[in-house]
Amino acid sequence: MRLTNYFLPLLKEAPKDADIISHQLMLRAGMIKQSSSGIYTWLPMGLAVLKKIEKIIRDEQTKAGALEMLMPTIQTADIWKKSGRYEDYGKEMLRIVDRHDREMLYGPTNEEHITDLVSTFIKSYKNIPKIFFHIQWKFRDEIRPRFGVMRCREFLMKDAYSFDLSEDSGKHSYNKMFVSYLRIFKKMELNAIPMKAESGPIGGNMSHEFIILAETGESKVFIDKKLLELEAPDDDINYNDDLTEIVKTWTTPFAVTEDMYNKDKFYNNVLLEDRIEEKGIEVGHVFFFGDKYNKPMGASIQNKDGKVIPLQSGSYGIGVSRLVAAIIEAHHDDKGIVWPKSVSPFDISLINLKPSNEDVNKICDEIYESLEKKRYQIIYDDTDSSIGEKFSRMDLIGIPIQIIVGPNSIKEGKVEIKDRKTDARKLVNLSEILNEFQLKD
Amino acid sequence: MRLTNYFLPLLKEAPKDADIISHQLMLRAGMIKQSSSGIYTWLPMGLAVLKKIEKIIRDEQTKAGALEMLMPTIQTADIWKKSGRYEDYGKEMLRIVDRHDREMLYGPTNEEHITDLVSTFIKSYKNIPKIFFHIQWKFRDEIRPRFGVMRCREFLMKDAYSFDLSEDSGKHSYNKMFVSYLRIFKKMELNAIPMKAESGPIGGNMSHEFIILAETGESKVFIDKKLLELEAPDDDINYNDDLTEIVKTWTTPFAVTEDMYNKDKFYNNVLLEDRIEEKGIEVGHVFFFGDKYNKPMGASIQNKDGKVIPLQSGSYGIGVSRLVAAIIEAHHDDKGIVWPKSVSPFDISLINLKPSNEDVNKICDEIYESLEKKRYQIIYDDTDSSIGEKFSRMDLIGIPIQIIVGPNSIKEGKVEIKDRKTDARKLVNLSEILNEFQLKD
């Protein structure tokens, strides 16, 4: 993509009400624009990141055996009355009356909706177990939206729901999602720590939040340093294997949020040098709630013995749009964003230092076209901005690799490659520049 | 995907209130489930088709130079008051009041929203021309939703918006979208005919609907047969070239909808044998409306001479979710759906006629794994259903190619390949089956 054709409305200064670094950087880098309170437009570069995150989640959830479907944003109030949560949800639920005076709402979550669907279609134990997921916009009418897309009203969420015949089988589904989450966050280069959590309005007796450590987090967390050294399961994970041991490894070391904190326990269980007290950002939450929704909503099936029993379920959420901000909180420096490769809006930035020079143009065009053929996504700064502006812009938007082409270096038959994160630079011979980049998958 | 792991809740009979064939087939094939009046859940196979269509549109709009972004579903009423359309829109607009008593709405279209955004960011003629598009859920509170996803309330739409400095340049943007639409519908194997149309609530003085011919269409159309023989521009189209001639070729032959029909004109302009009167389904609509929204909403820029002038704009919509139904209307037979390859939820269906036979299983597993490695998406019927049920199920869901493996054919060292559309069958040697399918891109 040539920058002259792109739409990248950078801001020199972030607005004063942008309190946290991710919000400031997303505005400065032209990723989002506020549309109204707590509601955002995703500009081209912001959307590109959102799509990368979505794809990682989709691929990993699919690998774990979950089936993708898509439920609508607008739900009927009827199913919420059936589950008993219609009144409970309070003012955070955006309630709507349609032209026929029917009570509707903008879905804040989908337990009722999926349970209603499953109770219609799944009648036999042969169709069980199943895990469904969807990636859909949700709305929660926060009283005071803040921190940009971190705590907004309209947000993109991945939510999955499992349906099993027994509690044991249900816990295996829970473990599948737990392990899938470890892998998802790892792929985004996030240290997400699972922590025992209160179940809150979702309900149930087993629940873990996945929290990344960040100074700007909203809640305090207390963890054992050992957790930061654990490795997420790698690509040859088999989700049909017993996953209990993996989950145990990740849930045994001390890790709790403020609301479950007990100082004595922390001090007794964790050595002084391993105690970490920091702030955290919740990026995922898994719940196991058994038959809480299945029972009132009639999601029951006949088991092998002919007995009709309610299904056993859990739900599993990831804040997709929030992750864009969370990743920036974890990956930035004083010059701007430093994207992990897996979610970067472009693979490479190509900087033409002197577009008025024909030789420089020719070389840039060649590099641009050749690397696009190798399937790299490239943002090519072909503008007539000053050199300083070009450098600071590319540092701000944080593409991992910069290729810098100017009249001086090409005179020596070389171009520069810079690593945005480490600032490591090397001069590469023009004839070898393309060999630096293998064909992308 | 093994069918035993998939979720494909087929119906033996379509509900009585499903009036048109696409609605019947989508329900019978387990693609959608009604959630409430005019609101649908997309089950895994329905979503797979929706995503394929989305990708074709995304790729082609990008090729035409449009930039993808994403506007939210919920908009503030303020911008609609500014444009003057807040009252005009009537009861089809889903109006919402949030917890702070602010007037909001679920976007039925986005002219106001994008114009507001452009007026904030685009201040110089250097940033012009631009075409933006997004693919987002819309809501129109139809008084009587019907025909499944064809006329529903919550629907997925691709809408693009162009911003130019002059009317001439604006018309070039219009032509780009016009040509892009010809290519998009062609890729879905749809004969979509552009027809001069009324601009309605969007406004403006130039507008074309893209309509496909189908017995079940809602509006009558009158066209010159020549239009059915025209070819959409191919892959080497250059969108920077003058596209006037292409648009002229497609807009010169007679083609109008009922509301613009004049019998004398039809009879005078079209020879008897070329006159086609049929029903049609609108799948796209392009508008050019100049400064209609830019003027009241202040989307103006300084031109080279320092004069501040309002931008010139058009908007360009495609009904993404409606297209799923429209394609079925155009591609089905008495056995079920016959998907065009480009939008089929799977590339290949693999039918194991006897899963209790080890040899058959082994061969099926080999074919399944090898073709997945070659990047084909396969639905593998590994169930213990009867042979008749297996055949009718695969015919119903309409995957273009069927590979049929049974004990008799493998005794002779062969498997059968069937073309769903033509019913052409061939026996292929086991040793050669994999050579029939090249590595997919």
Side-chain angles (χ1 to χ4, degrees):
Chain A
M1 175 64 65
R2 284 170 190 270
L3 192 51
T4 46
N5 292 334
Y6 200 50
F7 184 66
L8 189 67
L10 305 188
L11 300 182
K12 289 245 185 294
E13 306 261 333
K16 288 222 170 61
D17 61 344
D19 287 328
I20 61 171
I21 189 72
S22 59
H23 190 194
Q24 291 162 11
L25 286 172
M26 286 180 80
L27 290 170
R28 284 184 53 211
M31 293 177 65
I32 50 168
K33 178 188 181 292
Q34 183 172 301
S35 160
S36 52
S37 171
I39 303 180
Y40 289 85
T41 292
W42 293 78
L43 301 176
M45 206 175 67
L47 180 61
V49 178
L50 194 66
K51 292 260 169 209
K52 293 268 168 96
I53 293 174
E54 217 184 292
K55 186 174 181 330
I56 291 174
I57 296 173
R58 173 174 294 122
D59 291 351
E60 287 297 324
Q61 288 280 283
T62 302
K63 196 177 154 87
L67 295 169
E68 189 175 9
M69 44 134 56
L70 187 63
M71 290 176 268
T73 61
I74 302 296
Q75 305 179 17
T76 165
D78 295 349
I79 50 177
W80 288 75
K81 289 177 178 167
K82 221 167 168 181
S83 77
R85 285 207 295 178
Y86 190 58
E87 297 311 326
D88 297 357
Y89 228 92
K91 288 199 164 183
E92 266 196 26
M93 181 184 272
L94 190 68
R95 292 155 208 261
I96 301 168
V97 175
D98 77 5
R99 69 189 295 168
H100 297 296
D101 283 329
R102 284 176 297 216
E103 289 176 287
M104 317 287 290
L105 57 97
Y106 199 122
T109 179
N110 282 60
E111 281 80 9
E112 283 77 1
H113 200 279
I114 188 79
T115 307
D116 181 60
L117 188 140
V118 162
S119 73
T120 307
F121 283 128
I122 297 192
K123 304 288 187 192
S124 158
Y125 66 88
K126 285 185 189 170
N127 300 124
I128 291 292
K130 280 281 178 292
I131 306 175
F132 297 107
F133 76 100
H134 79 156
I135 300 175
Q136 179 62 292
W137 293 91
K138 309 284 190 294
F139 202 98
R140 290 183 193 165
D141 201 358
E142 297 272 352
I143 190 158
R144 197 167 69 87
R146 57 196 180 282
F147 306 145
V149 299
M150 193 76 91
R151 186 165 286 279
C152 56
R153 299 199 291 168
E154 184 169 333
F155 61 98
L156 189 61
M157 184 167 145
K158 186 286 304 179
D159 35 329
Y161 303 90
S162 64
F163 294 89
D164 284 86
L165 200 55
S166 70
E167 204 178 314
D168 274 359
S169 166
K171 285 194 173 156
H172 179 59
S173 293
Y174 185 89
N175 290 347
K176 279 183 178 179
M177 291 296 103
F178 189 103
V179 169
S180 179
Y181 278 29
L182 293 175
R183 287 175 49 81
I184 285 169
F185 298 127
K186 175 77 183 174
K187 289 214 159 165
M188 297 170 192
E189 298 185 24
L190 291 177
N191 262 322
I193 315 286
M195 306 194 191
K196 252 210 169 83
E198 299 280 10
S199 289
I202 303 286
N205 54 22
M206 182 165 65
S207 160
H208 289 93
E209 282 179 292
F210 286 77
I211 291 184
I212 62 162
L213 306 184
E215 283 171 23
T216 48
E218 285 193 82
S219 57
K220 226 173 165 184
V221 296
F222 304 84
I223 68 166
D224 184 332
K225 199 177 151 194
K226 281 196 221 64
L227 281 163
L228 297 178
E229 287 142 26
L230 292 177
E231 280 291 335
D234 61 19
D235 283 351
D236 49 22
I237 177 85
N238 182 342
Y239 283 97
N240 294 322
D241 290 348
D242 185 358
L243 306 168
T244 323
E245 279 306 311
I246 301 175
V247 174
K248 209 169 152 192
T249 307
W250 280 86
T251 51
T252 304
F254 195 94
V256 296
T257 53
E258 210 159 4
D259 46 342
M260 298 189 87
Y261 178 62
N262 174 309
K263 193 175 170 180
D264 288 346
K265 270 199 194 160
F266 190 40
Y267 280 55
N268 290 339
N269 280 288
V270 187
L271 295 173
L272 176 64
E273 64 265 32
D274 288 341
R275 280 177 217 149
I276 297 183
E277 289 189 35
E278 220 189 293
K279 287 197 165 173
I281 299 168
E282 183 194 335
V283 287
H285 205 152
V286 294
F287 301 89
F288 188 74
F289 43 70
D291 60 11
K292 174 174 173 180
Y293 300 94
N294 296 325
K295 216 167 173 175
M297 301 189 70
S300 306
I301 59 169
Q302 226 175 17
N303 67 12
K304 283 181 192 169
D305 308 324
K307 207 177 141 193
V308 175
I309 51 170
L311 293 167
Q312 294 284 322
S313 289
S315 73
Y316 315 92
I318 291 181
V320 185
S321 44
R322 162 178 281 202
L323 269 171
V324 180
I327 292 169
I328 294 175
E329 291 291 334
H331 295 276
H332 68 272
D333 60 20
D334 55 354
K335 297 196 192 90
I337 304 166
V338 186
W339 291 116
K341 278 190 182 170
S342 60
V343 301
S344 180
F346 295 94
D347 301 309
I348 296 168
S349 55
L350 172 63
I351 307 178
N352 181 333
L353 293 182
K354 201 165 185 185
S356 59
N357 178 314
E358 260 183 46
D359 294 337
V360 178
N361 270 340
K362 200 172 145 252
I363 287 166
C364 282
D365 286 355
E366 268 174 38
I367 294 174
Y368 180 58
E369 282 156 28
S370 307
L371 292 184
E372 283 216 319
K373 272 190 200 125
K374 286 187 167 183
R375 297 186 187 150
Y376 288 88
Q377 293 171 304
I378 301 159
I379 179 83
Y380 169 20
D381 185 345
D382 59 341
T383 66
D384 55 10
S385 310
S386 74
I387 292 181
E389 202 178 330
K390 283 177 187 245
F391 284 145
S392 62
R393 175 161 56 210
M394 281 307 177
D395 282 350
L396 173 63
I397 69 172
I399 313 304
I401 298 167
Q402 295 177 4
I403 301 177
I404 302 162
V405 185
N408 294 333
S409 63
I410 65 165
K411 254 183 235 158
E412 294 162 32
K414 291 183 190 296
V415 300
E416 192 177 39
I417 299 181
K418 172 182 146 181
D419 181 303
R420 168 68 182 87
K421 188 173 178 180
T422 62
D423 203 42
R425 294 151 190 269
K426 60 176 174 182
L427 284 170
V428 177
N429 283 331
L430 273 174
S431 55
E432 280 160 32
I433 175 82
L434 298 179
N435 299 332
E436 292 276 321
F437 301 94
Q438 302 306 311
L439 181 68
K440 261 194 84 177
D441 228 4
Chain B
M1 174 63 68
R2 283 171 191 269
L3 193 51
T4 46
N5 291 335
Y6 200 50
F7 184 65
L8 189 67
L10 304 188
L11 300 182
K12 288 243 185 296
E13 306 259 333
K16 287 222 171 61
D17 60 345
D19 286 329
I20 61 171
I21 188 73
S22 59
H23 190 195
Q24 291 162 12
L25 287 172
M26 287 180 77
L27 290 169
R28 283 185 52 212
M31 293 177 64
I32 51 169
K33 178 188 181 293
Q34 183 173 299
S35 160
S36 52
S37 172
I39 303 180
Y40 289 86
T41 292
W42 292 79
L43 302 176
M45 206 174 66
L47 180 61
V49 178
L50 194 66
K51 292 261 171 210
K52 293 268 168 98
I53 292 174
E54 216 183 292
K55 186 174 180 329
I56 291 174
I57 296 173
R58 173 173 294 120
D59 291 350
E60 287 296 324
Q61 288 280 283
T62 302
K63 197 177 152 86
L67 294 170
E68 189 175 10
M69 42 132 58
L70 187 62
M71 290 175 269
T73 61
I74 302 296
Q75 304 179 16
T76 166
D78 295 348
I79 50 176
W80 288 75
K81 289 178 178 168
K82 220 167 169 180
S83 77
R85 286 207 294 179
Y86 190 58
E87 296 311 324
D88 297 357
Y89 228 92
K91 289 197 165 184
E92 265 196 26
M93 180 184 274
L94 190 68
R95 290 156 209 261
I96 301 168
V97 176
D98 76 5
R99 70 189 295 170
H100 296 296
D101 284 329
R102 284 174 297 215
E103 290 176 286
M104 315 289 288
L105 56 99
Y106 199 123
T109 179
N110 283 60
E111 282 80 9
E112 283 78 0
H113 200 280
I114 188 80
T115 306
D116 181 59
L117 187 141
V118 162
S119 74
T120 306
F121 284 128
I122 297 191
K123 305 287 188 193
S124 157
Y125 65 89
K126 286 185 189 167
N127 299 125
I128 291 292
K130 280 281 178 291
I131 306 176
F132 297 108
F133 76 100
H134 79 156
I135 300 175
Q136 178 62 291
W137 293 89
K138 309 286 190 294
F139 202 98
R140 291 184 192 164
D141 201 358
E142 297 271 353
I143 190 158
R144 199 166 70 85
R146 56 195 182 281
F147 306 145
V149 298
M150 192 76 90
R151 185 165 287 278
C152 56
R153 298 200 291 168
E154 184 169 332
F155 61 98
L156 189 61
M157 184 167 144
K158 186 287 302 179
D159 35 330
Y161 303 90
S162 64
F163 294 89
D164 285 85
L165 199 56
S166 70
E167 204 178 316
D168 274 359
S169 166
K171 285 194 173 155
H172 179 60
S173 293
Y174 184 90
N175 290 346
K176 279 182 176 179
M177 291 296 104
F178 189 104
V179 169
S180 179
Y181 279 28
L182 293 175
R183 287 175 49 82
I184 285 169
F185 298 126
K186 176 76 183 178
K187 289 215 160 164
M188 298 170 190
E189 298 185 26
L190 291 177
N191 264 319
I193 314 287
M195 306 194 192
K196 252 212 166 81
E198 300 278 12
S199 289
I202 303 287
N205 54 22
M206 181 165 66
S207 160
H208 289 93
E209 283 178 293
F210 286 77
I211 292 184
I212 62 163
L213 305 185
E215 283 170 21
T216 48
E218 285 192 82
S219 58
K220 226 171 166 187
V221 295
F222 304 84
I223 68 164
D224 185 331
K225 199 176 150 193
K226 280 194 223 66
L227 281 162
L228 298 178
E229 288 142 25
L230 292 177
E231 282 289 337
D234 61 20
D235 284 350
D236 48 22
I237 178 84
N238 183 342
Y239 283 97
N240 294 321
D241 290 348
D242 185 358
L243 305 167
T244 323
E245 279 307 310
I246 301 175
V247 173
K248 209 170 152 189
T249 307
W250 280 85
T251 51
T252 304
F254 195 93
V256 296
T257 54
E258 211 159 2
D259 45 342
M260 298 189 86
Y261 178 61
N262 174 309
K263 194 176 171 182
D264 289 346
K265 270 199 195 159
F266 190 38
Y267 281 55
N268 291 339
N269 281 288
V270 188
L271 293 174
L272 177 62
E273 63 267 30
D274 289 341
R275 280 178 216 148
I276 297 183
E277 289 189 35
E278 221 190 293
K279 286 195 166 173
I281 300 169
E282 184 193 333
V283 286
H285 204 151
V286 293
F287 302 89
F288 189 74
F289 43 69
D291 60 11
K292 176 176 170 178
Y293 300 94
N294 295 326
K295 218 167 172 175
M297 300 189 69
S300 306
I301 59 169
Q302 224 174 17
N303 66 12
K304 284 181 193 170
D305 309 324
K307 207 178 140 192
V308 175
I309 52 170
L311 293 166
Q312 294 284 322
S313 288
S315 73
Y316 314 92
I318 291 182
V320 184
S321 44
R322 162 178 281 200
L323 269 171
V324 180
I327 291 170
I328 294 175
E329 292 290 336
H331 295 277
H332 68 272
D333 61 19
D334 56 353
K335 297 195 193 89
I337 303 166
V338 186
W339 291 115
K341 278 189 183 170
S342 60
V343 300
S344 181
F346 295 94
D347 301 309
I348 295 168
S349 55
L350 172 63
I351 307 178
N352 181 333
L353 293 181
K354 203 167 185 184
S356 59
N357 178 313
E358 261 183 45
D359 294 337
V360 178
N361 270 341
K362 200 173 147 253
I363 287 167
C364 280
D365 287 355
E366 268 175 37
I367 294 174
Y368 179 58
E369 282 156 28
S370 307
L371 293 183
E372 283 214 321
K373 271 190 201 126
K374 286 187 168 183
R375 297 185 186 150
Y376 288 88
Q377 293 171 303
I378 301 159
I379 179 83
Y380 170 20
D381 185 346
D382 59 340
T383 66
D384 55 10
S385 309
S386 74
I387 292 182
E389 203 178 328
K390 283 176 187 248
F391 284 146
S392 61
R393 175 162 56 211
M394 281 304 178
D395 283 351
L396 172 63
I397 70 171
I399 313 304
I401 298 168
Q402 295 177 4
I403 301 178
I404 303 162
V405 185
N408 293 333
S409 62
I410 65 163
K411 255 182 230 155
E412 293 162 33
K414 291 183 191 296
V415 300
E416 191 177 38
I417 300 181
K418 173 182 147 181
D419 181 303
R420 168 65 183 86
K421 187 173 179 181
T422 62
D423 203 42
R425 293 152 191 270
K426 59 177 174 182
L427 284 170
V428 177
N429 283 331
L430 274 175
S431 56
E432 281 160 33
I433 176 80
L434 297 181
N435 299 332
E436 292 277 321
F437 301 94
Q438 302 307 311
L439 181 68
K440 262 195 85 179
D441 228 4

